């Protein structure tokens, strides 16, 4: 059994071509982390242990700490299609279960605004594999929240213009329902922003190992292969502490922080193609110090792996390491003058500003 097959949960399952495309393919730059290996081993070990089964995972950490990357990697490890739902403050129960759409006559459609015609025709022609929100996101090029809002506005207009006409209805399941029923790996992003208690209750019920979801047309049971990966940021604007009942349904949690400096450098090399280990070592030291300083001083921004990758890439392209530090890292953390001064003082006390100047001098020599 090779590494790709070691943690596959249902090797005999037959997937459609579309579903096969949803199983994430690890890029060459992907490095297996300690967290990924730990989750894989725990889920595989407990998969057939009844009430001890692990199928709800919580990844909690700062932006850029690799939560979504890890969720996608688990899709590849377990051999399950990956899909996601991004939560927003005004989610209601229809966003959890899906949408019921009227199937109106072509004559009525022709009298509607062009944008509404496009939406309805696309939905009617869809095979039901995608959720209604996902269809709108693809057709209109909008976010999930905007797609949901447009759907609700369209339904309201249709209801207002239905003059006692007999209308048939068609149910379009949400992304959550689709993953839940078909046994996919679902990433639930930022449930901490949800305000409606009824929505959280619906999620809580669904995440029971023997849970179910009540649809307008039927009651569906949780597929035995369904895995929920909840990802949430710490101290993120607009978020609240994770609902206690929701947290209680999680069987495994990972605290996502910056990896070790060695892994940071290795990932940057794989991601950017830049191979100067000495330079990357200095940049990684600075990211680590900035991350710690921001936490200690309650600065809201984050110095994470994304900032590190883009900064390293800019330096690799010939940018000044010291100058690009501000545009790629510090200004992402904060633009407040007093907070920037705190960050600069921390770098200075560790001798890292001098180190940056040396990096720029060496890079200029090499380029020359």
């Amino acid at each position: 059994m090779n590494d790709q097959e070691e943690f596959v949960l249902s090797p005999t399952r037959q997937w459609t071509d579309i579903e096969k495309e949803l199983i994430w393919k690890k890029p060459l730059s992907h490095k297996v982390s300690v967290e990924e290996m730990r989750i894989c081993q725990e889920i595989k070990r407990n998969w057939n242990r009844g009430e001890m089964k692990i199928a709800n995972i919580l990844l909690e950490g700062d932006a850029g700490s690799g939560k979504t990357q890890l969720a996608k990697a688990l899709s590849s490890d377990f051999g399950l299609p990956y899909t996601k739902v991004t939560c927003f403050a005004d989610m209601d129960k229809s966003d959890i279960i899906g949408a019921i759409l009227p199937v109106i006559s072509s004559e009525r459609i022709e009298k509607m605004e062009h944008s509404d015609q496009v939406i309805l025709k696309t939905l009617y022609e869809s095979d039901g594999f995608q959720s209604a929100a996902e269809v709108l996101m693809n057709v209109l090029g909008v976010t999930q929240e905007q797609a949901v809002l447009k759907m609700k506005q369209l339904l309201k207009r249709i209801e207002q213009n239905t003059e006692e006409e007999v209308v048939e209805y068609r149910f379009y399941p949400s992304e959550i329902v689709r993953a839940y029923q078909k046994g996919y790996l679902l990433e639930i992003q930022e449930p901490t922003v949800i305000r409606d208690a009824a929505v959280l209750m619906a999620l809580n019920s669904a995440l029971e190992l023997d849970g179910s979801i009540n649809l307008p047309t039927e009651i569906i049971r949780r597929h035995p292969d369904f895995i929920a990966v909840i990802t949430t940021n710490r101290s993120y604007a607009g978020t609240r502490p994770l609902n206690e009942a929701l947290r209680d349904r999680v069987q495994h949690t990972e605290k996502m922080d910056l990896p070790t400096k060695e892994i940071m450098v290795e990932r940057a090399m794989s991601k950017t193609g830049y191979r100067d280990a000495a330079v990357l070592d200095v940049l990684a030291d600075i990211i680590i110090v900035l991350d710690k300083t921001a936490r200690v001083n309650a600065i809201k921004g984050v110095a994470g792996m994304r900032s590190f990758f883009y900064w390293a890439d800019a330096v690799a392209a010939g940018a000044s390491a010291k100058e690009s530090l501000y545009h790629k890292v510090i200004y992402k953390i904060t633009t407040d003058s007093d907070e920037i001064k705190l960050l600069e003082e921390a770098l200075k006390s560790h001798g890292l500003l001098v180190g940056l100047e040396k990096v720029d001098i060496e890079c200029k020599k090499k380029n020359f």
Side-chain angles (χ1 to χ4, degrees):
M1 182 180 291
N2 60 40
D3 291 342
Q4 284 294 102
E5 299 172 338
E6 181 180 359
F7 298 110
V8 173
L9 299 175
S10 296
T12 60
R13 279 192 71 177
Q14 299 296 311
W15 302 106
T16 66
D17 290 340
I18 297 177
E19 288 172 325
K20 289 176 184 176
E21 289 297 315
L22 293 176
I23 300 175
W24 200 61
K25 310 296 186 297
K26 291 184 181 180
L28 295 176
S29 61
H30 180 80
K31 301 296 179 183
V32 177
S33 64
V34 173
E35 293 86 356
E36 179 184 343
M37 185 56 62
R38 181 163 48 231
I39 293 171
C40 287
Q41 290 172 342
E42 280 296 284
I43 286 187
K44 187 72 173 181
R45 182 174 69 87
N46 288 277
W47 194 243
N48 296 309
R49 295 185 63 200
E51 292 181 359
M52 294 302 296
K53 182 177 183 177
I54 294 175
N56 298 328
I57 309 298
L58 172 62
L59 306 179
E60 192 168 22
D62 293 321
S65 56
K67 298 184 294 295
T68 290
Q69 179 86 358
L70 177 50
K72 290 179 177 178
L74 294 175
S75 158
S76 176
D77 294 323
F78 299 140
L80 298 175
Y82 165 86
T83 187
K84 70 176 181 179
V85 59
T86 303
C87 300
F88 51 93
D90 296 322
M91 284 183 79
D92 59 30
K93 286 191 70 174
S94 68
D95 300 316
I96 297 294
I97 64 174
I100 301 176
L101 301 181
V103 181
I104 61 179
S105 65
S106 56
E107 290 79 10
R108 276 198 63 197
I109 291 178
E110 295 300 326
K111 296 177 183 178
M112 302 174 72
E113 293 183 9
H114 178 69
S115 59
D116 290 347
Q117 291 183 35
V118 171
I119 293 172
L120 284 176
K121 287 179 179 178
T122 304
L123 286 170
Y124 293 162
E125 291 169 3
S126 69
D127 56 8
F129 185 81
Q130 293 179 303
S131 66
E134 189 178 4
V135 171
L136 264 64
M137 288 166 65
N138 294 335
V139 171
L140 304 178
V142 296
T143 65
Q144 180 180 340
E145 187 172 357
Q146 291 169 331
V148 170
L149 179 60
K150 284 186 176 292
M151 177 67 69
K152 290 176 180 175
Q153 291 170 341
L154 175 59
L155 286 173
K156 190 173 182 180
R157 286 195 293 273
I158 292 174
E159 289 171 1
Q160 289 173 343
N161 296 325
T162 301
E163 300 169 354
E164 298 183 357
E165 179 182 342
V166 177
V167 179
E168 294 182 0
Y169 288 87
R170 178 178 172 186
F171 176 68
Y172 291 79
S174 69
E175 203 64 20
I176 294 174
V177 167
R178 188 161 72 97
Y180 194 81
Q181 189 173 30
K182 293 178 178 289
Y184 298 166
L185 184 144
L186 172 71
E187 181 187 1
I188 305 174
Q189 297 182 337
E190 297 304 337
T192 49
V193 303
I194 298 173
R195 289 198 289 246
D196 191 338
V199 174
L200 288 172
M201 286 179 63
L203 269 180
N204 291 340
S205 175
L207 291 181
E208 294 281 5
L209 287 179
D210 59 351
S212 61
I213 298 178
N214 293 328
L215 303 180
T217 53
E218 60 180 324
I219 297 175
I220 62 168
R221 302 292 176 185
R222 177 173 181 154
H223 192 287
D225 286 347
F226 174 70
I227 291 179
V229 180
I230 300 170
T231 56
T232 182
N233 291 323
R234 286 194 297 264
S235 303
Y236 191 73
T239 65
R240 303 165 182 78
L242 187 65
N243 177 270
E244 290 182 7
L246 193 60
R247 186 182 285 274
D248 187 52
R249 282 158 177 77
V250 169
Q251 298 103 13
H252 185 93
T253 302
E254 291 287 345
K255 180 174 176 283
M256 303 290 288
D257 292 315
L258 283 175
T260 64
K261 184 171 69 171
E262 292 71 24
I263 292 177
M264 289 176 68
V265 170
E266 185 180 4
R267 287 183 183 174
M269 286 182 175
S270 299
K271 202 84 169 177
T272 66
Y274 186 47
R275 312 298 300 180
D276 195 324
V279 172
L280 291 172
D281 194 73
V282 174
L283 303 191
D285 277 334
I286 289 173
I287 292 289
I288 292 169
V289 168
L290 290 176
D291 179 60
K292 290 179 179 177
T293 305
R295 291 174 188 272
V296 169
N297 293 280
I299 299 173
K300 291 293 186 182
V302 175
M305 291 297 290
R306 289 196 194 105
S307 299
F308 180 48
F309 292 151
Y310 281 104
W311 187 24
D313 191 60
V315 172
S320 161
K322 190 171 183 179
E323 183 179 334
S324 57
L325 164 66
Y326 288 86
H327 304 291
K328 299 297 184 182
V329 184
I330 288 181
Y331 292 156
K332 281 187 67 178
I333 301 173
T334 180
T335 55
D336 180 87
S337 299
D338 292 333
E339 292 179 340
I340 289 174
K341 189 174 180 180
L342 284 172
L343 298 175
E344 290 173 335
E345 287 297 325
L347 295 179
K348 187 176 180 180
S349 67
H350 285 80
L352 292 171
L353 289 181
V354 175
L356 265 189
E357 291 170 357
K358 290 180 180 178
V359 165
D360 278 339
I361 292 171
E362 290 300 317
C363 285
K364 283 180 181 178
K365 286 180 180 178
K366 290 177 182 178
N367 290 336
F368 180 76

